[in-house]
Amino acid sequence: QLQLVESGGGLVQPGGSLRLSCAASGFTLEYYAIGWFRQAPGKEREGVSCISSSGGSANYADSVKGRFTISRDNTKNTVYLQMNSLKPEDTAVYYCAARVLPHCSGYVYGMDYWGKGTLVTVSS
């Protein structure tokens, strides 16, 4: 069974950091581009970041550029999202998703497999 499982969410103060992990089981991530998405209460889901299958390219939403870094370790079948300088507006459920394509072009328009999400709360 193909599964993506997110972890690493929690409560953090503004200015703090968290690292989210997205672990795959039942399939090998190395052939898939992986995206991180988030959905805040009352808002639509938005794409946060995406990394190509090789890890050679990544893109970021303007709202997180310079603060978030996506990376992957294909030997561990895991993708990470390092989040620094967190703001209250980063509060959301964060999801990882995989697409059966190696690149991130247009990733916000279609992903093939989704995790169930992990909650990130940024509050003092």
Side-chain angles (χ1 to χ4, degrees):
Q1 184 178 359
L2 278 63
Q3 273 193 313
L4 291 171
V5 179
E6 303 92 339
S7 62
L11 174 64
V12 63
Q13 292 186 341
S17 298
L18 282 175
R19 188 176 81 156
L20 305 184
S21 299
C22 172
S25 62
F27 68 111
T28 303
L29 277 183
E30 65 177 312
Y31 303 113
Y32 298 77
I34 305 298
W36 282 98
F37 296 76
R38 67 185 181 186
Q39 187 165 21
K43 294 188 176 181
E44 293 188 355
R45 186 174 62 199
E46 63 172 339
V48 174
S49 182
C50 181
I51 189 167
S52 63
S53 60
S54 68
S57 65
N59 55 27
Y60 299 90
D62 288 343
S63 57
V64 306
K65 277 181 184 176
R67 300 188 298 122
F68 290 11
T69 303
I70 192 170
S71 63
R72 65 192 299 157
D73 186 342
N74 287 340
T75 65
K76 295 183 178 179
N77 224 23
T78 301
V79 173
Y80 306 97
L81 186 68
Q82 178 68 43
M83 307 187 296
N84 299 329
S85 303
L86 283 161
K87 305 175 181 179
E89 52 263 44
D90 294 317
T91 295
V93 177
Y94 284 72
Y95 302 88
C96 68
R99 70 188 310 204
V100 188
L101 285 172
H103 58 78
C104 288
S105 178
Y107 79 99
V108 296
Y109 300 110
M111 304 297 282
D112 299 294
Y113 306 106
W114 290 84
K116 294 184 178 181
T118 185
L119 176 63
V120 172
T121 303
V122 185
S123 175
S124 55

